[in-house]
Amino acid sequence: MSAYHYESNEHNGISLKQQRAGSGGYSQQNSVDEYMVPEEEWEREAVLDPAWERQQKKTFTAWCNSHLRKVGTSIENIEEDFQNGLKLMLLLEVISNEQLPKPDRGRMRFHKIANVNKALDFIASKGVKLMVGAEEIVDGNLKMTLGMIWTIILRFAIQDISVEEMSAKEGLLLWCQRKTSPYKNVNVQNFHTSFKDGLAFCALIHRHRPDLLDYNKLTKDDPLTNLNLAFDIAEKHLDIPKMLDAEDMVDTIRPDEKSVMTYVSAYYHAFAGVYKVLIKADEKVVMTYVSSYYHAFSTTQKAEQAASRICKVLSINQENEQMMVEYEGLASDLLEWIKEKRPWLENRATDNTLDGTQAKLGDFRDYCRSQKPPKLSQKAKLETDFNTLQTRLRLSNRPAFTPTEGKLIADIVEAWKGLELAEKGFEDWLLRELRRLERLDHLVKKFQHKCDIHEEWSNGKIDLLQSTDLKQCSLNDLRALSRRHLAFESDLAAHQDRVEQIAAIAQELNVLGYEQITNVNQRCQKLCNEWDELGDLTQKRRLALTEAEKIVELIDSLFLEYAKKAAPYLNWLDGAREDLIDMFFIHTLDEICGLIEAHNQFKATLGEADAEYKNIIRLVEDAQQKCRDNNLDLSPNPYTNIQPDEITSKWNEVQTLVPQRDQDLQSEYAKQQQNERFRIQFAQKANVVGPWIERQHEQLQQLTFQVVGTLEQHQKKLETMELNVTQYRPHIDELEKYNQQIQECMIFENRHTPYTMEVVRVAWEQLHTQLTRQIAEIKNQIYTLEKKGISEEQMNEFRAAFAHFDKSRSRRLDPKEFRSCLIACGYNIREDRQGDADFQRIMANVDPTHTGFVTFESFLDFMTRECSEEDSVDQLTLAFKTLSADKPYITAEELKRELPANQAEWCIQRMKPYTGVEDVPGAYDYKTFSSALYGESDL
């Protein structure tokens, strides 16, 4: 018994790694994921190869019948026999051994769709994602039907196959490879070309039932005989139906993979089922079976067991050796890298330049960010791999691994500690060195910059201070020289701080050990000597100027007073001139009144301005008189460049501009008065027209949702309202005329009314449009009442229901509101999947463009269609029954007697002869005729 149990899980000596490589390297999970997604296999737009389609159709039909025969039924046409869903549900119950929901026994299309949906829901509950719809199965779509059956085969016949670590397709392929490896001319690598010559099928049969065929007599050159032999034996002795055609397998370049997989899975379940039965069977039965086949299997089993054991041992040794080699390589690489980096980190010397030190700091940061982390991961991997290897060796009874000298984990840890010790303080040293060099560079540049500024400032100052021509200068020149010297003394005092800073910088450069400190000291000493000389000459120059200053003191005071008064006064003149010639851009009467008031205030200040003007001119005249009294030339004023002539000219210009400004302001005032009249005129009219239009909108809104009286009365009200609106048109035209006047005067604001012409115009157009549309809707509703047989009460109920759910008064409902409205109108829409499907079909009818909303017109059209008194097949059948005097048939004479001649002849040509119990010559079947007229049938 144990021998048979082992054979069901045996392998033929090929390692698991080799099997993965041979089969594409897919894991168990990948295999399941790949072969349980049928929509990727059956793309809706793809075209299936005709040969493959023929093979799949026959194979899948045979596979289905192999299960359906267990319950005494079968299928002949796979795309037709599953259309009503009954046999599909029966097939799922047989292969899953589970009870499905009770099927619908009706013969209508929606009964079939419901049954197919139950089957698809059951498949989906098994973790299968389907892209096929029930309508496609009911419509007999062959490609979608084959896709569905292939999904069922994958889930219930292939997915549960498990061999070693493989499952589903990979597990089935591995099982075939294990079972056929001892046989010559058999190399199973796939489920198409590997089975084309038939030897693989024969090898599977011979491996499990060597008594059924002699494999040594088979040849690879006769695939047709091999295939037929395997198919016949499997059908006769193994109860595996013939799912493939030998001719199709041979004639097709690449047989259909899914068909072959389906057929091979039957072999797996047939043989695996034997082992499972034997495991649970009575010991006597098992011993009888074992004794009959012991000699056939014992030799093969022993060889396979020995090969398996050897492969496992060799596989473990090979993997361990590979890990040792990887450890040695990683350790050597890491130690070499540490040996290379450690001297670089221990070096504390730089090229004493800022760029060189920054480059070295950049290298260190690159080392920390990019170079060290991978090596740290490599070190951790070495430790992990070493521990893993030692554990594997210990568990497999192998001696412990001893790395070569110097590559122990302890050696690597010690080398790493040395690297981190060298690294410690390296960055701090670099930053300190960088700060020192940056400080030196900054100080040198600062020293040179301050020296350049000072030398530029002092250039020519000694020659100026040594000048002795003070007595020969004119009055203005002397006064200017005195003031300039005062300014120079102030400037000289201000430069004292710069000279001291230069000396301090030179001292710090000496302390920091600047390489070119000699040049710095020489330049600093020269600058200090020159500074002392400037101080002595400045003192001497000041004494000389003081002696000459008393002579020109009076004239100087006059010039100074003039400068103090002239500049502010000239600025006032410039500002007054700007204000007087400034263009004004205003829109209201208040603005122009403000400007006039400001101008009057300005004119009140002209008297003070005239007195100030005369005072300034008097200062100039006094200075001229002093020069004449002392026989001196009047030099230019050293304190200002403002000339008296300039002040006189601008004062005269201001006096000329004042009356001109008066005239401009009065003209603008008259213009703004006229604009204000236009605003008031427009506002008075707009304040009447705007509210009238709003009242009309409110009245129309009320009439839209509240219909009082009959529809004809409601239409009369709307038409009366339309007449009133049309007669109100002259008011709009009058307002347009006022608006044109405002626009021509460039008036943009009107504080007297909240209405603009654009607002009034849009409201008027909307009122006219909505009124016209409402009248058209009422006419359509009246037409509907006449033609569809809908009562006015029903129409009012529809309108009231829609208005109740239209909370926003937008005359449209979203899907949720529409569903509630239908329920309120008496529709029975269930809160389940079928109810949702019914509602979606209604939505597709009322919202064909998929806007996401249902308008009142679409809702009304839908409800009138649903409630209209339309004829039906039952009414037509009842009418024919009345003409035939309650007989189940009607004769040609009765048709010609009761109907117009052309219509009677049309019915006779299309009616089928009556085939009921009563054999009446010339009788016609009016029931099938009525059903055909309305598109119904027995199905």
Side-chain angles (χ1 to χ4, degrees), residues 6-26:
Y6 175 79
E7 183 174 356
S8 66
N9 295 280
E10 66 182 350
H11 57 78
N12 57 9
I14 301 176
S15 68
L16 179 61
K17 185 180 294 185
Q18 291 172 322
Q19 283 300 326
R20 287 174 177 171
S23 61
Y26 288 97

Side-chain angles (χ1 to χ4, degrees), residues 444-460:
V444 169
K445 292 180 179 178
K446 187 175 181 181
F447 176 81
Q448 293 175 350
H449 178 64
K450 287 184 176 294
C451 288
D452 291 341
I453 293 175
H454 182 78
E455 289 171 353
E456 181 181 358
W457 172 83
S458 64
N459 184 26

Side-chain angles (χ1 to χ4, degrees), residues 69 205 209 212 228-242 263 267:
R69 67 185 180 183
I205 295 174
R209 293 291 303 273
L212 296 180
N228 284 322
L229 176 63
F231 296 163
D232 292 340
I233 291 175
E235 185 176 24
K236 182 177 181 182
H237 298 282
L238 303 179
D239 197 26
I240 299 175
K242 188 176 182 181
Y263 187 58
Y267 279 66

